[in-house]
Amino acid sequence: MNKYNPQKHHRRSIRLQGYDYSQEGLYFITICCQDRTHLFGEIVDGKMILNSYGEIAQKEWRNTSAIRDNVLLHEFVVMPNHFHSIIEIKFQKGNNEIGKFQSPSQTVGAIIRGYKIATIKKIKDFMLFSERDNFSTGELQFAPTAPTAPTAPTAPTAPTAPTAPTEKIKELDFKIWQRNYYEHIIRNEEAYERISDYIRNNPKRWNEDKFYGI
């Protein structure tokens, strides 16, 4: 995990209208699923078990720093119906002169927007390919097969990935994410450590989470 550096990460402002969110700094991000629907998996024994769509959400977030050289990912967790992360903008890209236009593609909001678009596209693609695969193999599902020998009992295994809620996503018309997101500027080491701990332990404290049971 990347540690807090007061020289690099110190923030002097809270979230304000007109604030330049392309500046260097650390931000605590929360994104909720549309209607806070459980789309990404479930909590089992204090651990998040991702389904196929949760895996996509996690992979696409990790890809964020690969496509943006000024972004560093800190703690993050994909939960059943929301997502938490600490994101760092390492340096400001674009024109730094006051009064000059700053490309919105470099802001925190643009990063989140790009992530939402990417996850929706990848989930749509996954569903399309899955449906095509099921259609192409469906004619064989009733074909007779040779009897198989009984198998010996096996030892308990780790929880399997829960079934992805394909029909629920279709009901939402692929509006997987809520329109907005929650954001908080991290201004000191104490806040950084507190938020990091909250993210790490979010699955263990799921029953106490404000999103639980929604």
Side-chain angles (χ1 to χ4, degrees):
M1 182 190 75
N2 298 290
K3 299 295 291 182
Y4 179 87
N5 183 326
Q7 297 301 318
K8 290 172 57 181
H9 303 150
H10 178 64
R11 305 302 301 162
R12 295 176 297 171
S13 303
I14 62 174
R15 188 178 186 185
L16 298 171
Q17 184 176 4
Y19 183 83
D20 184 357
Y21 284 97
S22 66
Q23 293 186 58
E24 299 174 14
L26 286 157
Y27 302 87
F28 173 42
I29 304 296
T30 298
I31 316 173
C32 294
C33 294
Q34 182 71 18
D35 300 330
R36 296 184 180 178
T37 308
H38 292 213
L39 299 178
F40 295 142
E42 59 189 34
I43 303 295
V44 178
D45 296 329
K47 295 182 179 180
M48 178 62 190
I49 309 300
L50 299 172
N51 59 29
S52 300
Y53 304 145
E55 293 281 0
I56 291 173
Q58 179 173 268
K59 181 179 179 180
E60 288 307 308
W61 185 246
R62 285 177 172 159
N63 194 41
T64 299
S65 59
I67 62 177
R68 296 178 184 268
D69 61 357
N70 66 327
V71 170
L72 184 64
L73 305 181
H74 292 246
E75 294 285 352
F76 72 89
V77 63
V78 177
M79 295 291 286
N81 62 355
H82 65 283
F83 166 82
H84 293 304
S85 179
I86 294 176
I87 185 171
E88 177 183 353
I89 296 183
K90 297 186 294 182
F91 55 88
Q92 188 176 39
K93 298 186 71 173
N95 200 331
N96 294 327
E97 295 182 32
I98 297 175
K100 293 294 183 71
F101 176 74
Q102 171 64 48
S103 170
S105 64
Q106 309 303 332
T107 65
V108 172
I111 293 169
I112 302 304
R113 184 165 56 252
Y115 169 67
K116 288 180 177 180
I117 292 171
T119 52
I120 292 171
K121 181 181 185 304
K122 290 298 176 66
I123 288 174
K124 277 186 174 181
D125 289 345
F126 179 87
M127 291 172 62
L128 178 62
F129 291 138
S130 296
E131 290 174 354
R132 285 178 177 175
D133 191 50
N134 290 337
F135 177 78
S136 64
T137 59
E139 62 186 24
L140 302 177
Q141 63 180 330
F142 299 114
T145 57
T148 57
T151 56
T154 57
T157 58
T160 56
T163 303
T166 300
E167 293 306 315
K168 177 59 67 176
I169 289 181
K170 289 181 178 179
E171 290 175 13
L172 294 172
D173 195 25
F174 294 95
K175 295 177 182 177
I176 295 170
W177 300 107
Q178 286 188 352
R179 181 178 178 181
N180 212 337
Y181 66 96
Y182 303 95
E183 171 273 320
H184 173 74
I185 300 171
I186 300 176
R187 294 175 287 162
N188 53 54
E189 184 172 5
E190 180 182 358
Y192 178 85
E193 295 297 341
R194 173 174 50 80
I195 294 170
S196 295
D197 178 76
Y198 173 79
I199 295 174
R200 281 192 298 269
N201 292 293
N202 205 209
K204 295 179 182 178
R205 299 169 180 167
W206 177 229
N207 290 351
E208 307 168 16
D209 196 288
K210 65 181 181 180
F211 299 116
Y212 175 76
I214 296 177

